[in-house]
Amino acid sequence: MESTLDEDRTDPSYRAWLKDAVRRVQADANRSADTHLLSFPLPEEWGVDLYLKDESTHPTGSLKHRLARSLFLYGLCNGWIRPGRPVIEASSGSTAVSEAHFAQLIGVPFIAVMPRTTSCEKVGLIEFHGGRCHLVDDPRTVYEVSARLAAETGGHYMDQFTYAERATDWRGNNNIAESVYQQLRLERFPEPAWIVATAGTGGTSATIARYVHYMQYDTRICVADPQNSVFFDGWRSGDAGLCCETGSRIEGIGRPRMEPSFVPGAIDRMMKVPDAASVAAVRALEGTLGRKAGGSTGTGLWAAFRIVAEMRRRGERGSVVSLICDPGDRYLDKYYSDEWVAAQGLDLEPYAEVIRDFLKTGEWSG
């Protein structure tokens, strides 16, 4: 008779630490209110209402707070995040700010691997939350550098670009999609015709699109993609191996490769948005609502404006939802700096004129 093989790796001190870490992350959600759904002022007679889900009001100031919480719970419950060992992330900034917050919350070190062009404000926020920034010259190397640092330190490479779509509960649990529909319940068009998202990992668009299909809504999903990103071309061609040589100027979105968390089949439409249009749109947002937002907000807003104009032209009524992804005070030296705009060779005026004409007439001349 063969003897029974048995191995027990349970460490009571680790299990106690794990329970406390999960409690701390869940408590962060429990004491956080939902984010606002703002109404963008358009003439009521147009018959199309535009809303902006303001994710900049999260405790760490961006849409990525939701993702970071989900990634930490996923890593903790999988046994990947361990006491005293660093968490490492490849990021263009906002995810790293939020992950630094959660790392500090549970008492583990955090290292953000980011392009050297990341805004100084984001670097400062990561360091404020106790994180350390590892800057690289070539944005395409953030993945391999992150994996190497994890191997060298015995830490965990979070890898948001792989795990974003699987760590988030897309069926509900007050995810961003469920929140939008709850907040639209009393509006004149409670089921939006379109929701516009932008893609960094692709996790947000995947969550929203899956929720829409799961709940059997007729809402369509549009993803707006900036220059120097392969998502649009990969979605159109079906080529999951596409890459490009240059990193995105619009921080937080656009990638030089097709990321594993980007789910093309769930999306109804994609729109390629020039960087100058993104900057012009985010400046128009400030002029209309008095709020500064990051460049990714402008990318989505440009696409939302165009969709509203198309609906008007076809005589359709309904609502459109886009996102305020993060606050503009992180980008004062970029999208709100005329010197930076000039140095990048961006001409904002033709796009600003399209927006002015749209807000005045409802027609799209771009």
Side-chain angles (χ1 to χ4, degrees), residues 304-314 358 362-364:
F305 284 162
R306 182 174 167 186
I307 287 172
V308 170
E310 291 171 353
M311 291 176 65
R312 273 184 42 77
R313 189 177 67 246
R314 293 191 295 263
F358 162 73
E363 297 178 359
W364 193 256

Side-chain angles (χ1 to χ4, degrees), residues 64-278:
K64 300 300 184 179
H65 193 87
R66 294 180 190 267
L67 172 60
R69 183 192 297 127
S70 296
L71 288 169
F72 264 82
L73 288 173
Y74 193 68
L76 285 165
C77 294
N78 283 337
W80 297 342
I81 299 174
R82 294 279 172 159
R85 300 183 187 180
V87 169
I88 294 100
E89 183 63 285
S91 174
S92 59
S94 286
T95 302
V97 173
S98 298
E99 288 186 2
H101 163 83
F102 285 105
Q104 187 176 58
L105 194 67
I106 66 172
V108 297
F110 179 75
I111 303 170
V113 180
M114 304 185 299
R116 197 170 298 278
T117 55
T118 302
S119 71
C120 297
E121 288 81 4
K122 284 184 180 176
V123 171
L125 284 169
I126 292 164
E127 293 174 345
F128 173 79
H129 288 292
R132 178 165 69 86
C133 299
H134 185 102
L135 304 179
V136 299
D137 293 318
D138 185 348
R140 295 170 298 176
T141 66
V142 293
Y143 316 98
E144 60 190 75
V145 172
S146 297
R148 175 174 57 78
L149 286 175
E152 291 173 355
T153 61
H156 169 56
Y157 172 27
M158 192 73 90
D159 195 3
Q160 60 167 322
F161 298 105
T162 295
Y163 295 106
E165 57 88 10
R166 63 188 79 171
T168 302
D169 185 355
W170 51 267
R171 294 174 184 86
N173 195 23
N174 196 36
N175 65 33
I176 187 170
E178 185 177 53
S179 175
V180 165
Y181 281 89
Q182 285 293 323
Q183 291 174 320
L184 283 173
R185 279 188 310 112
L186 302 181
E187 303 300 311
R188 63 173 177 167
F189 304 115
E191 183 178 328
W194 287 91
I195 297 177
V196 179
T198 51
T201 62
T204 299
S205 60
T207 297
I208 295 172
R210 286 167 167 169
Y211 181 80
V212 164
H213 301 321
Y214 180 69
M215 296 299 293
Q216 303 166 56
Y217 292 129
D218 291 326
T219 305
R220 289 161 290 178
I221 309 302
C222 175
V223 173
D225 199 34
Q227 292 176 232
N228 303 324
S229 174
V230 299
F231 286 138
F232 178 85
D233 292 326
W235 177 80
R236 185 169 57 178
S237 67
D239 185 354
L242 279 184
C243 295
C244 68
E245 297 297 313
T246 308
S248 171
R249 273 185 297 221
I250 307 300
E251 284 191 26
I253 61 170
R255 300 301 302 168
R257 71 176 193 181
M258 292 288 284
E259 301 293 353
S261 281
F262 181 65
V263 184
I267 297 162
D268 299 290
R269 177 180 181 180
M270 287 200 69
M271 195 181 300
K272 196 74 171 177
V273 178
D275 290 347
S278 297

